[in-house]
Amino acid sequence: MTTTSPLIDPFQRAISYLRVSVTDRCDFRCVYCMSETMTFLPKKELLTLEELDRLCSAFVRLGVEKLRITGGEPLVRRDIMTFFRAMTRHLDSGRLKELTLTTNGSQLARFAGELHDAGVRRINVSLDTLDDAKFAAITRWGRLAQVLDGIDAAQKAGLKVKINAVALKGFNETELFDLQSWCAAREMGLTFIEVMPMGDLGNENRLDQYWSLKDLRGRLAERFTLTDLAERTGGPARYVRLEETGQKIGFITPLTHNFCESCNRVRLTCTGELYMCLGQEDMADLRAPLRASDADGVLEQAIRAAIARKPKGHDFDYSRQSVAGQMTRHMSHTGG
Ligand code: SAM
Ligand code: SF4
């Protein structure tokens, strides 16, 4: 039997936002996200598109209003548009308020129109630099021109684009104002993300790459008047308005800002593991209950049991110069 009472965690937070990684694969190999020689999961481990539909639909029934599709690179998953089109019914019913995605932009030229047709209205595109050579260096396999074409196509299709840039010391520090003015000219939002201690540090030491957003914000304030905005998304983003341009700039500081008390989200991996917190190892396997029965009662029970374990917060901490609370998962696993 299924019930529709909403998902409320032990700290009285309503879970209204689900991020879903639909693949662990990617056509890029960003240095802070993947090693160049990643081994990916065997295809049989992945949830099928039908299973993803069943799971997402269960969450929507239980009160999830916002679905963000991510990866890996979501647009490299074969037939992913079938999944997006299937989710349109939840937008049409009014239960789902927003269907969106985070993408590296490489496949947008091909899919922007179809995404819009499926009801997607806003997307996040990850882009750390506007310099061809630096783009090739940071993504290892990416081509900037392809992403810029994708962004053009998205805007032409009527999608609102927000750019997400990882702030990297000694890498895009010098491009702060170029990125800001480029986004202003194209009427795109811009959010900076602090690099997180995910995955194996290996030869890329993320402490070396860490550029604090406090510092970045200080640099912006040298040129602009910054007004803090009250806007909250239930996540780690905080926003300011640049008074001179009217532009909104976001800061995602999972390491230096305590945002856990208003956390409204959970993350589903492409194998059906539900992570109740980005910064904790605890997860619940939803694939087994999903496959155990064609009826959704067992699945819903497993979802409720998982939400009942959502922790109060996470423990990332760079302050001791060694990375405490470091996670061994890659961002491409939980989808960032
Ligand atoms: N492939 C898509 C993309 O790049 O937008 C979606 C998945 S990607 C894992 C989601 C976001 O995580 C991207 O904006 C990426 O820059 C960010 N990311 C990956 N590794 C990160 C890290 N170690 N610290 C902070 N952000 C990271
Ligand atoms: Fe791929 Fe996105 Fe990770 Fe870059 S950040 S390697 S584009 S999943």
Side-chain angles (χ1 to χ4, degrees), residues 23-34 70-74 102-105 126 128 138-139 166 331-332:
T23 178
D24 61 333
R25 285 161 205 259
C26 188
D27 51 345
F28 291 3
R29 291 290 181 281
C30 302
V31 297
Y32 45 71
C33 178
M34 290 189 188
T70 175
E73 173 47 42
T102 300
T103 172
N104 66 22
S126 305
D128 306 330
I138 200 83
T139 62
V166 177
M331 285 290 264
S332 55

mmCIF file of all heavy atoms in Angstrom, residues 23-34 70-74 102-105 126 128 138-139 166 331-332, ligand 2:
data_model
loop_
_atom_site.group_PDB
_atom_site.id
_atom_site.type_symbol
_atom_site.label_atom_id
_atom_site.label_comp_id
_atom_site.label_asym_id
_atom_site.label_seq_id
_atom_site.Cartn_x
_atom_site.Cartn_y
_atom_site.Cartn_z
ATOM 1 N N THR A 23 23.658 8.991 -14.617
ATOM 2 C CA THR A 23 24.787 8.219 -15.141
ATOM 3 C C THR A 23 26.044 8.624 -14.387
ATOM 4 O O THR A 23 26.129 9.751 -13.885
ATOM 5 C CB THR A 23 25.008 8.469 -16.651
ATOM 6 O OG1 THR A 23 26.149 7.726 -17.080
ATOM 7 C CG2 THR A 23 25.238 9.931 -16.979
ATOM 8 N N ASP A 24 27.016 7.723 -14.303
ATOM 9 C CA ASP A 24 28.306 8.117 -13.719
ATOM 10 C C ASP A 24 29.286 8.495 -14.831
ATOM 11 O O ASP A 24 30.387 8.920 -14.568
ATOM 12 C CB ASP A 24 28.881 6.998 -12.841
ATOM 13 C CG ASP A 24 29.154 5.718 -13.608
ATOM 14 O OD1 ASP A 24 28.477 5.458 -14.636
ATOM 15 O OD2 ASP A 24 30.044 4.958 -13.186
ATOM 16 N N ARG A 25 28.855 8.319 -16.080
ATOM 17 C CA ARG A 25 29.758 8.578 -17.209
ATOM 18 C C ARG A 25 29.778 10.046 -17.589
ATOM 19 O O ARG A 25 28.834 10.783 -17.296
ATOM 20 C CB ARG A 25 29.316 7.763 -18.429
ATOM 21 C CG ARG A 25 29.686 6.321 -18.268
ATOM 22 C CD ARG A 25 28.907 5.416 -19.175
ATOM 23 N NE ARG A 25 28.888 4.113 -18.576
ATOM 24 C CZ ARG A 25 29.684 3.099 -18.951
ATOM 25 N NH1 ARG A 25 30.505 3.234 -19.968
ATOM 26 N NH2 ARG A 25 29.643 1.951 -18.306
ATOM 27 N N CYS A 26 30.838 10.419 -18.277
ATOM 28 C CA CYS A 26 30.957 11.807 -18.700
ATOM 29 C C CYS A 26 31.886 11.884 -19.898
ATOM 30 O O CYS A 26 32.786 11.050 -20.045
ATOM 31 C CB CYS A 26 31.499 12.644 -17.544
ATOM 32 S SG CYS A 26 31.463 14.408 -17.931
ATOM 33 N N ASP A 27 31.653 12.885 -20.730
ATOM 34 C CA ASP A 27 32.543 13.110 -21.870
ATOM 35 C C ASP A 27 33.685 14.061 -21.516
ATOM 36 O O ASP A 27 34.516 14.367 -22.357
ATOM 37 C CB ASP A 27 31.751 13.617 -23.088
ATOM 38 C CG ASP A 27 30.859 14.814 -22.768
ATOM 39 O OD1 ASP A 27 30.627 15.086 -21.568
ATOM 40 O OD2 ASP A 27 30.404 15.475 -23.712
ATOM 41 N N PHE A 28 33.710 14.578 -20.291
ATOM 42 C CA PHE A 28 34.833 15.373 -19.798
ATOM 43 C C PHE A 28 35.521 14.609 -18.662
ATOM 44 O O PHE A 28 34.962 13.624 -18.149
ATOM 45 C CB PHE A 28 34.356 16.721 -19.230
ATOM 46 C CG PHE A 28 33.814 17.707 -20.240
ATOM 47 C CD1 PHE A 28 33.689 17.394 -21.582
ATOM 48 C CD2 PHE A 28 33.420 18.975 -19.818
ATOM 49 C CE1 PHE A 28 33.180 18.318 -22.503
ATOM 50 C CE2 PHE A 28 32.904 19.903 -20.721
ATOM 51 C CZ PHE A 28 32.781 19.568 -22.052
ATOM 52 N N ARG A 29 36.672 15.094 -18.262
ATOM 53 C CA ARG A 29 37.383 14.529 -17.113
ATOM 54 C C ARG A 29 37.919 15.672 -16.255
ATOM 55 O O ARG A 29 39.128 15.815 -16.084
ATOM 56 C CB ARG A 29 38.571 13.653 -17.582
ATOM 57 C CG ARG A 29 38.207 12.363 -18.284
ATOM 58 C CD ARG A 29 37.606 11.347 -17.314
ATOM 59 N NE ARG A 29 37.273 10.104 -17.988
ATOM 60 C CZ ARG A 29 36.175 9.922 -18.728
ATOM 61 N NH1 ARG A 29 35.306 10.897 -18.878
ATOM 62 N NH2 ARG A 29 35.947 8.754 -19.297
ATOM 63 N N CYS A 30 37.009 16.515 -15.751
ATOM 64 C CA CYS A 30 37.454 17.679 -14.978
ATOM 65 C C CYS A 30 38.378 17.232 -13.848
ATOM 66 O O CYS A 30 38.075 16.259 -13.140
ATOM 67 C CB CYS A 30 36.256 18.427 -14.412
ATOM 68 S SG CYS A 30 35.129 18.958 -15.716
ATOM 69 N N VAL A 31 39.475 17.971 -13.675
ATOM 70 C CA VAL A 31 40.522 17.493 -12.768
ATOM 71 C C VAL A 31 40.049 17.393 -11.319
ATOM 72 O O VAL A 31 40.537 16.542 -10.584
ATOM 73 C CB VAL A 31 41.792 18.378 -12.844
ATOM 74 C CG1 VAL A 31 42.416 18.325 -14.208
ATOM 75 C CG2 VAL A 31 41.484 19.807 -12.456
ATOM 76 N N TYR A 32 39.092 18.253 -10.925
ATOM 77 C CA TYR A 32 38.644 18.234 -9.532
ATOM 78 C C TYR A 32 37.545 17.202 -9.307
ATOM 79 O O TYR A 32 37.042 17.049 -8.212
ATOM 80 C CB TYR A 32 38.150 19.626 -9.096
ATOM 81 C CG TYR A 32 37.255 20.290 -10.107
ATOM 82 C CD1 TYR A 32 35.971 19.833 -10.328
ATOM 83 C CD2 TYR A 32 37.710 21.361 -10.872
ATOM 84 C CE1 TYR A 32 35.150 20.405 -11.268
ATOM 85 C CE2 TYR A 32 36.901 21.958 -11.824
ATOM 86 C CZ TYR A 32 35.619 21.471 -12.024
ATOM 87 O OH TYR A 32 34.818 22.040 -12.964
ATOM 88 N N CYS A 33 37.124 16.545 -10.387
ATOM 89 C CA CYS A 33 35.961 15.655 -10.285
ATOM 90 C C CYS A 33 36.305 14.201 -10.570
ATOM 91 O O CYS A 33 35.840 13.306 -9.870
ATOM 92 C CB CYS A 33 34.886 16.138 -11.255
ATOM 93 S SG CYS A 33 33.411 15.121 -11.312
ATOM 94 N N MET A 34 37.110 13.971 -11.596
ATOM 95 C CA MET A 34 37.397 12.585 -11.998
ATOM 96 C C MET A 34 38.881 12.430 -12.278
ATOM 97 O O MET A 34 39.542 13.393 -12.651
ATOM 98 C CB MET A 34 36.685 12.260 -13.310
ATOM 99 C CG MET A 34 35.212 12.147 -13.216
ATOM 100 S SD MET A 34 34.565 11.505 -14.765
ATOM 101 C CE MET A 34 32.820 11.706 -14.485
ATOM 102 N N THR A 70 21.242 15.198 -12.904
ATOM 103 C CA THR A 70 22.668 15.470 -12.963
ATOM 104 C C THR A 70 23.423 14.179 -13.247
ATOM 105 O O THR A 70 22.846 13.211 -13.721
ATOM 106 C CB THR A 70 23.096 16.215 -11.658
ATOM 107 O OG1 THR A 70 24.506 16.382 -11.663
ATOM 108 C CG2 THR A 70 22.686 15.498 -10.401
ATOM 109 N N GLY A 71 24.723 14.167 -12.999
ATOM 110 C CA GLY A 71 25.502 12.969 -13.316
ATOM 111 C C GLY A 71 26.822 13.014 -12.567
ATOM 112 O O GLY A 71 26.906 13.657 -11.520
ATOM 113 N N GLY A 72 27.828 12.515 -13.182
ATOM 114 C CA GLY A 72 28.193 12.356 -14.566
ATOM 115 C C GLY A 72 27.589 13.451 -15.449
ATOM 116 O O GLY A 72 27.112 14.445 -14.966
ATOM 117 N N GLU A 73 27.620 13.205 -16.702
ATOM 118 C CA GLU A 73 26.977 14.155 -17.597
ATOM 119 C C GLU A 73 25.629 13.586 -18.017
ATOM 120 O O GLU A 73 25.573 12.613 -18.775
ATOM 121 C CB GLU A 73 27.883 14.441 -18.809
ATOM 122 C CG GLU A 73 27.245 15.285 -19.886
ATOM 123 C CD GLU A 73 26.538 16.532 -19.341
ATOM 124 O OE1 GLU A 73 27.071 17.210 -18.454
ATOM 125 O OE2 GLU A 73 25.410 16.813 -19.807
ATOM 126 N N PRO A 74 24.530 14.188 -17.529
ATOM 127 C CA PRO A 74 23.216 13.592 -17.781
ATOM 128 C C PRO A 74 22.896 13.447 -19.271
ATOM 129 O O PRO A 74 22.238 12.490 -19.666
ATOM 130 C CB PRO A 74 22.238 14.557 -17.106
ATOM 131 C CG PRO A 74 23.000 15.803 -16.822
ATOM 132 C CD PRO A 74 24.431 15.410 -16.699
ATOM 133 N N THR A 102 21.696 19.948 -14.370
ATOM 134 C CA THR A 102 23.037 20.522 -14.327
ATOM 135 C C THR A 102 23.856 19.782 -15.375
ATOM 136 O O THR A 102 23.898 18.553 -15.370
ATOM 137 C CB THR A 102 23.675 20.326 -12.927
ATOM 138 O OG1 THR A 102 22.842 20.969 -11.967
ATOM 139 C CG2 THR A 102 25.051 20.938 -12.856
ATOM 140 N N THR A 103 24.470 20.547 -16.264
ATOM 141 C CA THR A 103 25.154 19.925 -17.393
ATOM 142 C C THR A 103 26.469 20.624 -17.679
ATOM 143 O O THR A 103 26.634 21.796 -17.334
ATOM 144 C CB THR A 103 24.245 19.978 -18.648
ATOM 145 O OG1 THR A 103 24.976 19.545 -19.793
ATOM 146 C CG2 THR A 103 23.714 21.381 -18.914
ATOM 147 N N ASN A 104 27.356 19.909 -18.340
ATOM 148 C CA ASN A 104 28.602 20.565 -18.768
ATOM 149 C C ASN A 104 28.393 21.292 -20.092
ATOM 150 O O ASN A 104 29.301 21.938 -20.592
ATOM 151 C CB ASN A 104 29.752 19.564 -18.849
ATOM 152 C CG ASN A 104 29.562 18.502 -19.940
ATOM 153 O OD1 ASN A 104 28.816 18.689 -20.898
ATOM 154 N ND2 ASN A 104 30.265 17.384 -19.799
ATOM 155 N N GLY A 105 27.221 21.174 -20.676
ATOM 156 C CA GLY A 105 26.875 21.962 -21.865
ATOM 157 C C GLY A 105 27.292 21.356 -23.187
ATOM 158 O O GLY A 105 26.893 21.841 -24.249
ATOM 159 N N SER A 126 27.896 24.199 -16.139
ATOM 160 C CA SER A 126 29.156 24.339 -15.411
ATOM 161 C C SER A 126 30.234 24.818 -16.362
ATOM 162 O O SER A 126 30.469 24.190 -17.395
ATOM 163 C CB SER A 126 29.555 22.997 -14.799
ATOM 164 O OG SER A 126 28.497 22.514 -14.005
ATOM 165 N N ASP A 128 34.085 26.944 -15.977
ATOM 166 C CA ASP A 128 35.010 27.577 -15.037
ATOM 167 C C ASP A 128 35.881 28.654 -15.672
ATOM 168 O O ASP A 128 36.529 29.422 -14.964
ATOM 169 C CB ASP A 128 35.950 26.514 -14.426
ATOM 170 C CG ASP A 128 35.194 25.368 -13.806
ATOM 171 O OD1 ASP A 128 34.079 25.595 -13.329
ATOM 172 O OD2 ASP A 128 35.718 24.227 -13.807
ATOM 173 N N ILE A 138 41.430 22.152 -17.744
ATOM 174 C CA ILE A 138 40.652 21.811 -16.546
ATOM 175 C C ILE A 138 39.687 20.659 -16.816
ATOM 176 O O ILE A 138 39.441 19.828 -15.949
ATOM 177 C CB ILE A 138 39.910 23.055 -15.976
ATOM 178 C CG1 ILE A 138 39.511 22.847 -14.514
ATOM 179 C CG2 ILE A 138 38.674 23.429 -16.768
ATOM 180 C CD1 ILE A 138 40.574 23.130 -13.530
ATOM 181 N N THR A 139 39.158 20.587 -18.048
ATOM 182 C CA THR A 139 38.191 19.518 -18.353
ATOM 183 C C THR A 139 38.889 18.308 -18.977
ATOM 184 O O THR A 139 38.260 17.284 -19.214
ATOM 185 C CB THR A 139 37.119 19.991 -19.360
ATOM 186 O OG1 THR A 139 37.765 20.337 -20.584
ATOM 187 C CG2 THR A 139 36.345 21.192 -18.850
ATOM 188 N N VAL A 166 33.503 26.641 -10.614
ATOM 189 C CA VAL A 166 34.257 26.257 -9.421
ATOM 190 C C VAL A 166 35.394 27.275 -9.261
ATOM 191 O O VAL A 166 36.112 27.566 -10.226
ATOM 192 C CB VAL A 166 34.820 24.824 -9.565
ATOM 193 C CG1 VAL A 166 35.675 24.461 -8.357
ATOM 194 C CG2 VAL A 166 33.682 23.814 -9.705
ATOM 195 N N MET A 331 32.236 13.421 -6.988
ATOM 196 C CA MET A 331 31.030 14.218 -7.232
ATOM 197 C C MET A 331 30.199 13.604 -8.342
ATOM 198 O O MET A 331 28.986 13.746 -8.372
ATOM 199 C CB MET A 331 31.402 15.641 -7.643
ATOM 200 C CG MET A 331 31.885 16.478 -6.518
ATOM 201 S SD MET A 331 30.564 16.863 -5.395
ATOM 202 C CE MET A 331 30.108 18.459 -6.043
ATOM 203 N N SER A 332 30.872 12.954 -9.288
ATOM 204 C CA SER A 332 30.125 12.372 -10.403
ATOM 205 C C SER A 332 29.260 11.212 -9.919
ATOM 206 O O SER A 332 28.362 10.763 -10.610
ATOM 207 C CB SER A 332 31.081 11.898 -11.495
ATOM 208 O OG SER A 332 32.033 11.016 -10.954
HETATM 209 FE FE1 SF4 B 2 32.018 15.502 -16.009
HETATM 210 FE FE2 SF4 B 2 30.693 17.352 -14.661
HETATM 211 FE FE3 SF4 B 2 32.563 15.856 -13.431
HETATM 212 FE FE4 SF4 B 2 33.320 17.650 -15.219
HETATM 213 S S1 SF4 B 2 32.285 18.080 -13.283
HETATM 214 S S2 SF4 B 2 34.032 15.506 -15.099
HETATM 215 S S3 SF4 B 2 31.682 17.601 -16.645
HETATM 216 S S4 SF4 B 2 30.674 15.135 -14.246
#
